[in-house]
């Protein structure tokens, strides 16, 4: 049952071997950050660490504490990686911005998380399109200190290399979107957030758990892989897991059969659809116009 995640990391379909790919890992250039850059980090960190209280899942908050994240300056990836590596074997490497899918998957498969080395400008405090160091580090890195989530991310990277061979990266990318970026988790205390796209956005952090507008639906692998998503606004549907154990178990499998089913089925859901068979936590009113998050 683990073929998807452990097989060949090379890919024979025209992209060559990973070792021949251009090197996307960049210098963080930590000493080049200006005091304005560090001030942006500090302002974002102060604001968002208040907002995530009571809204982020416990594992995420534990990660923030475990990594001893510095509120006052942009983290140094090499330093932070020492603590992270000791916990789960993950490290944070710097990239200049978005990198192509295959090297992205390859890095995850090697337990290297690519984080943007730049930070947004003061006028972009609420929204930025490209993943910067605040999104990547504040949003993604804390959960990499959780052993189960750490395994999930590695498995996702390996699954990505495999999906490339099936021509199903679009489907697998939706899984990443609706879990790693925009996932919710039902915990004892209530509905909580684990998705980094939410946790790095002050507006969406409140919206995702408090608004009546979006749908909240139990995660189903095939359903998620058939669902389009919005990149220009808050999500209209969030998918909810029970636990990281559940997430890992559902996805630590050979997706070959699932991909065949999805191709045969040819169903696509819109971002605001409720599908037959959905386990619905809350059905949204969808009557909102947020503008950009
Ligand atoms: N590159 N730096 C960076 N960060 C991402 O989150 C990222 C990427 N390249 C591709 C990508 N994400 C997605 O297309 C994959 O989830 C499919
Ligand atoms: Fe992200």
């Amino acid at each position: 049952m683990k073929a998807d995640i452990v097989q060949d990391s090379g890919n024979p379909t025209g992209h060559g071997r990973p070792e021949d790919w251009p090197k996307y890992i960049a210098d963080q250039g930590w000493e080049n950050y200006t005091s304005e850059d560090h001030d942006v980090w500090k302002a974002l960190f102060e604001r968002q660490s208040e907002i995530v209280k009571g809204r982020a899942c416990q594992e995420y908050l534990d990660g923030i504490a475990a990594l001893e994240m510095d509120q006052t300056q942009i983290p140094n990836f090499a330093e932070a990686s020492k603590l992270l590596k000791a916990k789960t074997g993950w490290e944070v490497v710097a990239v200049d911005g978005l990198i192509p899918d295959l090297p992205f998957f390859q890095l995850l498969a090697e337990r290297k998380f690519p984080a943007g080395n730049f930070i947004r400008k003061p006028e972009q405090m609420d929204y930025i399109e490209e993943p910067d160091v605040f999104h990547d580090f504040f949003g993604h890195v804390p959960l990499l200190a959780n052993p189960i989530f750490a395994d999930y991310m590695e498995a996702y990277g390996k699954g990505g290399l495999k999906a490339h061979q099936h021509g199903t990266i679009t489907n697998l990318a939706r899984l990443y979107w609706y879990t790693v970026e925009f996932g919710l988790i039902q915990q004892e205390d209530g509905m909580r957030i684990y998705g980094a796209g939410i946790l790095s956005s002050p507006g969406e952090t409140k919206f995702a758990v408090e608004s009546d507008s979006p749908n909240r639906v139990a995660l189903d692998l095939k359903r998620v892989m058939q669902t389009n998503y919005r990149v220009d606004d808050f999500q209209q549907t969030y998918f909810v897991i029970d636990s990281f154990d559940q997430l890992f178990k559902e996805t630590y499998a050979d997706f070959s059969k699932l991909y065949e089913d999805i191709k045969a089925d040819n169903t696509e859901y819109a971002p605001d659809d409720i599908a037959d068979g959905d386990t619905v936590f809350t059905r949204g009113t969808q009557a909102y116009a947020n503008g950009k998050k």
Side-chain angles (χ1 to χ4, degrees):
M1 280 293 281
K2 46 183 165 176
D4 235 6
I5 356 214
V6 289
Q7 275 176 9
D8 36 9
S9 58
N11 68 85
T13 47
H15 289 254
R17 293 143 57 88
E19 54 268 35
D20 299 326
W21 295 344
K23 296 284 172 275
Y24 290 98
I25 296 181
D27 252 358
Q28 185 184 6
W30 191 86
E31 52 301 328
N32 298 330
Y33 295 128
T34 64
S35 59
E36 181 184 89
D37 291 336
H38 290 299
D39 286 348
V40 169
W41 170 270
K42 181 164 178 276
L44 288 167
F45 195 114
E46 279 176 358
R47 176 175 68 171
Q48 196 58 8
S49 46
E50 285 304 312
I51 298 178
V52 298
K53 281 183 195 156
R55 297 188 175 98
C57 67
Q58 193 54 47
E59 292 85 346
Y60 171 85
L61 298 170
D62 290 347
I64 295 256
L67 295 175
E68 298 169 18
M69 273 164 82
D70 187 347
Q71 304 228 12
T72 63
Q73 15 178 14
I74 298 170
N76 181 315
F77 296 169
E79 285 300 313
S81 292
K82 287 181 194 161
L83 279 172
L84 185 58
K85 216 169 177 178
K87 296 212 170 296
T88 57
W90 273 82
E91 56 191 298
V92 180
V93 296
V95 290
D96 291 327
L98 285 170
I99 63 174
D101 288 339
L102 287 180
F104 179 71
F105 295 140
Q106 180 68 28
L107 286 171
L108 297 183
E110 295 169 10
R111 293 198 173 225
K112 295 190 175 91
F113 188 80
N117 55 8
F118 61 96
I119 191 148
R120 66 196 73 187
K121 296 290 162 208
E123 58 274 17
Q124 299 169 305
M125 294 293 278
D126 293 326
Y127 179 77
I128 182 175
E129 239 159 76
E130 283 245 317
D132 73 340
V133 60
F134 185 72
H135 166 77
D136 279 332
F137 211 96
F138 187 89
H140 284 287
V141 174
L143 270 180
L144 293 173
N146 177 274
I148 304 171
F149 193 83
D151 286 351
Y152 173 67
M153 287 288 276
E154 180 193 335
Y156 181 85
K158 290 178 174 167
L161 298 168
K162 197 78 188 298
H164 174 70
Q165 300 168 2
H166 286 274
T168 50
I169 282 186
T170 304
N171 302 100
L172 192 75
R174 291 171 179 168
L175 176 64
Y176 192 87
W177 188 265
Y178 282 119
T179 61
V180 179
E181 295 291 355
F182 292 97
L184 296 183
I185 180 167
Q186 180 68 44
Q187 299 198 309
E188 270 175 31
D189 297 344
M191 192 65 81
R192 293 289 184 269
I193 303 161
Y194 71 94
I198 308 175
L199 291 169
S200 57
S201 159
E204 192 151 0
T205 297
K206 295 178 181 165
F207 177 86
V209 285
E210 274 141 44
S211 172
D212 292 334
S213 168
N215 303 315
R216 299 181 184 84
V217 176
L219 182 91
D220 176 274
L221 204 50
K222 185 176 175 198
R223 157 76 156 100
V224 164
M225 287 191 179
Q226 293 174 317
T227 306
N228 288 280
Y229 56 80
R230 306 186 57 144
V231 297
D232 61 336
D233 207 339
F234 297 162
Q235 299 307 301
Q236 292 175 303
T237 300
Y238 297 98
F239 290 93
V240 182
I241 61 171
D242 298 334
S243 65
F244 292 114
D245 256 340
Q246 178 219 353
L247 176 64
F248 182 71
K249 282 185 184 135
E250 279 210 30
T251 51
Y252 193 73
D254 187 338
F255 290 164
S256 304
K257 168 78 168 57
L258 181 62
Y259 290 146
E260 291 314 310
D261 289 351
I262 287 172
K263 282 178 199 166
D265 206 24
N266 206 20
T267 301
E268 294 270 302
Y269 297 105
D272 60 345
D273 279 350
I274 292 283
D276 289 346
D278 277 352
T279 301
V280 179
F281 285 80
T282 56
R283 180 188 275 264
T285 59
Q286 305 292 348
Y288 66 93
N290 299 295
K292 297 240 166 175
K293 57 190 168 178

